[in-house]
Amino acid sequence: EVQLVESGGGLVQAGGSLRLSCAATGFTFKNYDMSWFRQAPGKEPEWVSAINSGGEKTYLSNSAEGRFTVSRDNNKSTLYLQMNALKPEDTALYYCARFRNPYSPPTRPRSYHYDYWGQGTEVTVSS
């Protein structure tokens, strides 16, 4: 059974940092491109970042560029999102997701590009 379990969220002041983790089980993690997306209350899901299966290629949304870093450890089957210089508008539930097929930039990922995602970890940034 494929499982993606996010952790690392919390309450942080504006300007602070958080590191999210996503532990993957039930599949060969190193074979899949992965993604982070988020959903703020009352808003549509928003893609945040993507990374290819080997970890050599990373992609960030305009809102994440310059502040967030996506990485992965295929030996630990874990995906990461380092978030720095957090802003109140980063407040959301953050999800990691597995791409159904290899990611093809510059297409902005949508929900139908994923076949599995986790339950999310909540990030709250206070002003």
Side-chain angles (χ1 to χ4, degrees), residues 19 40 83 88 115 127:
R19 188 194 195 202
M83 304 188 296
D115 56 3
S127 57

Side-chain angles (χ1 to χ4, degrees), residues 33 47 50-52 57-60 99 101-109 113:
D33 296 355
W47 171 69
I51 186 168
N52 75 325
K57 300 178 182 179
T58 61
Y59 310 91
L60 294 169
F99 278 100
N101 296 301
Y103 173 53
S104 297
T107 303
R108 181 182 293 272
H113 288 108

Side-chain angles (χ1 to χ4, degrees), residues 9-10 15 32-33 41 44 51 81-82 122 125:
Y32 288 86
D33 296 355
E44 294 293 314
I51 186 168
L81 185 68
Q82 177 68 43
E122 190 168 0
V125 185

Side-chain angles (χ1 to χ4, degrees), residues 73-86:
D73 185 336
N74 284 344
N75 291 324
K76 296 182 178 179
S77 296
T78 302
L79 177 72
Y80 302 101
L81 185 68
Q82 177 68 43
M83 304 188 296
N84 300 328
L86 283 161

Side-chain angles (χ1 to χ4, degrees), residues 21-78:
S21 299
C22 171
T25 58
F27 66 103
T28 305
F29 181 72
K30 66 180 181 180
N31 290 349
Y32 288 86
D33 296 355
M34 298 294 293
S35 180
W36 288 97
F37 68 94
R38 66 188 182 186
Q39 188 167 19
K43 294 190 176 181
E44 294 293 314
E46 176 191 9
W47 171 69
V48 175
S49 69
I51 186 168
N52 75 325
S53 58
E56 308 93 355
K57 300 178 182 179
T58 61
Y59 310 91
L60 294 169
S61 66
N62 288 339
S63 61
E65 189 72 48
R67 300 186 299 127
F68 295 2
T69 304
V70 60
S71 62
R72 64 192 295 162
D73 185 336
N74 284 344
N75 291 324
K76 296 182 178 179
S77 296
T78 302

